[in-house]
Amino acid sequence: MAETLTTLVDAAHADAVHLIELSRDGGDAAGAVDGPPSDPRQALHASDAAVAAVSAHLSAMEAVVYPEMARRVPGGRARVAELGRLARQCSSVMRGIEQYVQGDLNHPANTVASLRRDLAALLAEHEKGECGLLRELTERLSNDERRHLLDRFADAMRHAPTRPHPHLGHGGIFGGSLAIRLLGSFDHLLDVMDAREVAGAPVRAPAPAGLWGWYLLGRPTAPAPEWPATDQPASAADRSPSEPQRSAARGSGPRR
């Protein structure tokens, strides 16, 4: 297969690192680090995109792939538990970044730049353990099992949460596929309400305001009448007759 679970996981790790690099303080789209970003909102947008991508990846892996690792790989249960611990720490840090993006006044005392550095370090450690376990798991699966696991993972990614949930979705009763799907449905609803741009989601065209929308916006529901322009001279047919013409018209009538 040209597309395998390993290639998808490697691509997810590379995308997360790239988004975190884009959101660094003092960096712009070209990667410069010596001056302020050309658009201060760019760092927040990149941070938000990184949070969404990492949240979806961690949730899909914990719901679909980690149980197989714990069951098939020797010593996998303890190693998966360590990955879950790192995932919870990532979610806590991403929750702090999300508070900065949303303008929450109760954000952590650490700066958003410090939180991004912490997230990058945690993801590097998490990636190292995850990739090792994934290679060992792949060696123990048949081609059909690999294909089935890939299909399950791709389906989980489509419905995975896009926001961090530090206290939910990390193993146990709240880490199964059903819980992840419910959390994902709630997050996707919030994304639509917030007009949030998430990787992989189609960009929605703005819907027409409608009748009540026009009322709330204070705009007329019918086009304004087109009044004749006052700065253009009227045509000969539209000009009113002058006084001599009116007198001549009265004098040319039939005499009794």
Side-chain angles (χ1 to χ4, degrees):
M1 292 186 301
E3 185 179 54
T4 64
L5 183 58
T6 303
T7 59
L8 290 182
V9 171
D10 289 342
H13 292 157
D15 290 343
V17 171
H18 179 64
L19 288 169
I20 293 175
E21 287 293 322
L22 284 178
S23 62
R24 289 181 306 173
D25 283 347
D28 56 12
V33 295
D34 295 331
S38 57
D39 187 352
R41 297 169 297 181
Q42 178 185 342
L44 293 180
H45 288 321
S47 298
D48 193 32
V51 166
V54 175
S55 297
H57 172 75
L58 292 179
S59 298
M61 291 293 290
E62 290 176 347
V64 176
V65 183
Y66 289 177
E68 296 293 328
M69 291 177 174
R71 185 166 62 92
R72 293 175 178 265
V73 178
R77 189 175 299 275
R79 295 165 68 182
V80 167
E82 176 63 17
L83 289 180
R85 182 188 67 83
L86 292 174
R88 284 190 294 272
Q89 292 183 357
C90 289
S91 295
S92 297
V93 174
M94 288 190 296
R95 175 55 184 158
I97 295 176
E98 185 182 48
Q99 289 177 294
Y100 271 103
V101 172
Q102 296 176 350
D104 190 346
L105 297 180
N106 296 319
H107 58 72
N110 296 341
T111 64
V112 66
S114 176
L115 292 174
R116 283 196 293 263
R117 287 193 296 269
D118 293 343
L119 179 59
L122 287 170
L123 286 179
E125 185 179 358
H126 187 275
E127 176 186 354
K128 182 179 179 180
E130 188 176 75
C131 290
L133 270 171
L134 187 58
R135 283 193 300 269
E136 296 182 42
L137 174 65
T138 303
E139 294 173 356
R140 289 168 170 78
L141 297 177
S142 64
N143 290 334
D144 291 340
E145 289 173 333
R146 294 172 189 170
R147 187 178 300 107
H148 180 62
L149 186 61
L150 174 62
D151 293 340
R152 290 176 55 202
F153 177 77
D155 180 70
M157 281 294 295
R158 286 191 290 269
H159 303 91
T162 58
R163 297 165 186 261
H165 299 277
H167 307 292
L168 298 175
H170 298 282
I173 188 174
F174 296 109
S177 298
L178 179 59
I180 293 300
R181 187 176 290 263
L182 292 176
L183 289 175
S185 299
F186 181 71
D187 286 354
H188 295 170
L189 177 61
L190 293 179
D191 292 340
V192 173
M193 296 174 63
D194 294 342
R196 186 185 184 206
E197 296 183 6
V198 179
V203 179
R204 300 175 181 269
L211 183 61
W212 287 106
W214 286 103
Y215 288 153
L216 293 175
L217 293 174
R219 299 178 181 176
T221 57
E226 296 183 359
W227 302 101
T230 58
D231 56 348
Q232 297 180 355
S235 60
D238 296 336
R239 287 198 298 267
S240 60
S242 60
E243 185 63 29
Q245 290 175 337
R246 288 197 295 269
S247 301
R250 286 195 297 268
S252 61
R255 297 179 178 275
R256 290 184 290 182

